[in-house]
Amino acid sequence: MDAISEEDLALFQQAAQESFQRMVARNQEACPDASSRTFPLVEPDYNAKRPLDLSAFADALAAFDPARAGEIDALLAGKAIPDIQALLEGGDLTSVELVTYYLDRIQRYDVERLNSVIELNPQVLADAAAADAPDPVYTFSHQKVSEVVYAETGTARRRMLHRRAFGILQAMAVSSGELARHALAAGLPAETIRYSLMAGNDALALFAVRVALRHYETARRITEQQGWPETVSGADKQLLYSSLGRAYELSEEWIKAEEIYKAMISYAESIRAPAMECLGLNQLSAIYYLKFNKGEQAVALLERAKKLAEQNGDERWLAETELNLAMVAFQNHDHALTLHHAEQALDIARKLDHPHLMARHLSILSYVYLQQCKWDKLETYATEASRLYTESGNLVLAAESDGNVGFAQMLSGKPQEALATLEKTVAFSSHIENLWGETEQTWKLAITHLELGHYGLAIKLAKKGIEMARQLGLPSALALSLIAGSLVQRKTMSLAAAQETLLENIAASKEHRLFAVVWEWTLTELCAAYASAGNWEQAADYARQRLQAHEDESLLSMGLAGWYETEALLRGGDGDLARA
């Protein structure tokens, strides 16, 4: 590489003083694309958010041409920051158009919905107009010159330059991740933590778990190396622990999630923050009972959290803890204890009149009634949960609840209503590319079309549901999709295929513990499939297994083919079991 001339160095010094922003722009990094999606998510409480004031931009928004908005949509599709800068420099887009475009999106999608924007700079359009105005341009004679000069600049000088860039970029439409990068290079720990948290939350909202982890871990390293800056709020401290733990869960790094929750509990104890401690205890317990199969340890943590919440009069966390106690009981197939804790949790949520908390509790309680085959209560609770989620702008969870409403309608003998409900939820999940939601509702829709005699559609949807479930990689989703597929195969007389499909569920259960209701449904359908094929001996064997698995006689059995069990048992000489 050629040596740097005095002329080049002089140009650098002049450019650094008069137009630093252009040098910084050369170092922008591309934003990774989000491809991984997993559901559900932990959602922050936005009750304290200040309303956004868009009045300063009313004229610009009113004059914004929808056709031009569509053109900008196409221009920005899949573009990273350097690509957008190239559009600006090439004249395909102006700064004023870009800012107005984002303001329009904020007005349409963020207000009372995503709630991700904290505040707006009322002078931003004026700043954009100034950016569009021609100004003196200083450049290096070669790209390598800028890179070498930057590398040779002292640490203190680079820190100062990044600090200036951070101040300038805060007033622009720049991503939180970019601001976090400059804050870190500028030696601003509190600002780095703040924007790393925001960038992590933005990435997690797009299901970009690895990107979110990178941002959260950056903030965590600062706290480990330098301690917590005094200006970081208690809410942000709690958010970092819980979000980092959740991201580890979503990436299936369970040991790291356990470690971060233990650290959260320890820190909360040291500063006497009972709400943070309750959160940590609840999140750690969830790992124990869902992943590590440590039910007793999970209950011990939850009883500790419940006692702490009661001592501090914290009914919010008392409700959350009761709900998790219900989930542990649910995992242990203790239906009476499940309902006891779940209904107590809902009673507290209603008393608090907290819409988001009520919606979450109603949603989970509806799943309890789904597992218990109480279709009327399932429809009632899921309908109320959907309404509350819709009112709060959480359309993803509203669609999930609508799916349960549709399933309840189908099982209650209202297939036409179920069809309308489920078609809407499948379309919505497909539109937002929510693979989990689309998979969950597709198998329900396949069964509904089967009930209506739409066999061609039922076969097509059943196959699609199984394909999506395999892609999703969630054992419970695949198990339910396979059951739905086997039901369609049996009704269309593909009996060997139905048996093969269900036997896959039997094999999978040895590796993944299925919920009791899923296991029973599999056995019921196996009995029906073999009975339909005339193999009554094998059908009777599966009927006996199903009855043995049905521990709670007060509950109905899942599935709509119980008469096959009765006939198989009678043919097998088990009259008493057939009458049970």
Side-chain angles (χ1 to χ4, degrees), residues 390-410:
T390 301
E391 289 174 356
S392 66
N394 194 328
L395 301 183
V396 174
L397 293 184
E400 179 189 349
S401 294
D402 284 338
N404 284 336
V405 172
F407 194 47
Q409 290 169 335
M410 190 275 294

Side-chain angles (χ1 to χ4, degrees), residues 341-407:
H341 287 300
E343 289 177 344
Q344 277 199 329
L346 181 58
D347 287 343
I348 298 171
R350 290 193 188 281
K351 179 182 176 182
L352 294 173
D353 194 24
H354 191 298
H356 176 72
L357 192 62
M358 287 168 59
R360 180 168 174 263
H361 286 54
L362 285 162
S363 178
I364 293 178
L365 195 55
S366 70
Y367 275 106
V368 174
Y369 286 121
L370 169 62
Q371 302 292 328
Q372 297 186 354
C373 307
K374 296 182 178 179
W375 316 129
D376 55 342
K377 291 190 175 182
L378 165 61
E379 183 174 359
T380 299
Y381 282 78
T383 299
E384 187 178 358
S386 173
R387 176 181 62 79
L388 289 169
Y389 279 133
T390 301
E391 289 174 356
S392 66
N394 194 328
L395 301 183
V396 174
L397 293 184
E400 179 189 349
S401 294
D402 284 338
N404 284 336
V405 172
F407 194 47

Side-chain angles (χ1 to χ4, degrees), residues 294-369:
K294 297 180 178 179
E296 291 184 3
Q297 288 178 256
V299 171
L301 289 172
L302 291 170
E303 290 295 347
R304 176 179 161 190
K306 181 178 178 180
K307 182 177 180 181
L308 191 62
E310 289 173 338
Q311 289 174 344
N312 289 276
D314 191 337
E315 292 195 316
R316 166 69 185 271
W317 277 109
L318 184 59
E320 292 283 2
T321 304
E322 286 284 3
L323 190 62
N324 280 315
L325 283 166
M327 293 303 294
V328 176
F330 183 69
Q331 289 283 329
N332 294 330
H333 310 304
D334 189 333
H335 302 295
L337 190 58
T338 298
L339 277 177
H340 169 74
H341 287 300
E343 289 177 344
Q344 277 199 329
L346 181 58
D347 287 343
I348 298 171
R350 290 193 188 281
K351 179 182 176 182
L352 294 173
D353 194 24
H354 191 298
H356 176 72
L357 192 62
M358 287 168 59
R360 180 168 174 263
H361 286 54
L362 285 162
S363 178
I364 293 178
L365 195 55
S366 70
Y367 275 106
V368 174
Y369 286 121

Side-chain angles (χ1 to χ4, degrees), residues 97-357:
E97 286 180 321
L98 182 62
V99 170
T100 307
Y101 170 80
Y102 281 120
L103 288 169
D104 179 60
R105 287 182 64 84
I106 290 169
Q107 178 179 251
R108 288 188 288 127
Y109 299 119
D110 197 85
V111 177
E112 300 303 329
R113 292 191 178 192
L114 299 178
N115 291 320
S116 61
V117 177
I118 297 173
E119 59 183 326
L120 295 168
N121 174 10
Q123 299 299 319
V124 67
L125 283 174
D127 294 342
D132 288 333
D135 57 356
V137 177
Y138 301 92
T139 60
F140 292 100
S141 60
H142 195 281
Q143 172 65 21
K144 285 293 184 183
V145 174
S146 67
E147 295 174 5
V148 172
V149 171
Y150 179 79
E152 292 297 322
T153 304
T155 301
R157 177 67 173 167
R158 288 202 301 270
R159 183 172 293 179
M160 182 273 291
L161 295 176
H162 279 288
R163 189 165 297 195
R164 289 177 59 190
F166 176 75
I168 293 169
L169 294 174
Q170 275 186 302
M172 300 173 62
V174 176
S175 70
S176 300
E178 190 64 20
L179 289 168
R181 184 176 74 84
H182 283 291
L184 179 63
L188 302 171
E191 289 80 0
T192 302
I193 291 172
R194 177 190 176 197
Y195 284 105
S196 293
L197 267 174
M198 292 171 64
N201 292 343
D202 291 342
L204 208 57
L206 296 172
F207 306 98
V209 179
R210 292 296 173 186
V211 178
L213 270 176
R214 189 177 73 236
H215 290 299
Y216 293 143
E217 287 176 337
T218 295
R220 175 65 175 157
R221 277 195 300 273
I222 290 176
T223 67
E224 290 178 324
Q225 295 168 2
Q226 305 178 31
W228 287 99
E230 292 183 2
T231 55
V232 175
S233 68
D236 279 347
K237 293 175 183 178
Q238 178 173 303
L239 183 60
L240 176 57
Y241 280 117
S242 61
S243 298
L244 179 55
R246 179 58 176 159
Y248 281 137
E249 289 184 56
L250 293 174
S251 62
E252 298 188 352
E253 297 180 65
W254 303 106
I255 300 300
K256 288 185 177 181
E258 179 185 19
E259 290 172 352
I260 201 67
Y261 290 145
K262 284 182 175 179
M264 179 183 187
I265 294 166
S266 177
Y267 180 74
E269 284 183 305
S270 70
I271 63 171
R272 296 184 179 180
M276 185 189 297
E277 187 178 351
C278 279
L279 173 58
L281 290 166
N282 274 269
Q283 290 186 305
L284 182 58
S285 73
I287 292 178
Y288 282 168
Y289 74 76
L290 287 174
K291 194 63 186 178
F292 294 161
N293 198 25
K294 297 180 178 179
E296 291 184 3
Q297 288 178 256
V299 171
L301 289 172
L302 291 170
E303 290 295 347
R304 176 179 161 190
K306 181 178 178 180
K307 182 177 180 181
L308 191 62
E310 289 173 338
Q311 289 174 344
N312 289 276
D314 191 337
E315 292 195 316
R316 166 69 185 271
W317 277 109
L318 184 59
E320 292 283 2
T321 304
E322 286 284 3
L323 190 62
N324 280 315
L325 283 166
M327 293 303 294
V328 176
F330 183 69
Q331 289 283 329
N332 294 330
H333 310 304
D334 189 333
H335 302 295
L337 190 58
T338 298
L339 277 177
H340 169 74
H341 287 300
E343 289 177 344
Q344 277 199 329
L346 181 58
D347 287 343
I348 298 171
R350 290 193 188 281
K351 179 182 176 182
L352 294 173
D353 194 24
H354 191 298
H356 176 72
L357 192 62

Side-chain angles (χ1 to χ4, degrees), residues 45 107 221 345 359 395 417 456 465 470 475 488 533 554 565:
D45 189 348
Q107 178 179 251
R221 277 195 300 273
L395 301 183
E417 293 180 33
R470 293 193 194 282
V488 172
S554 67
E565 293 179 351

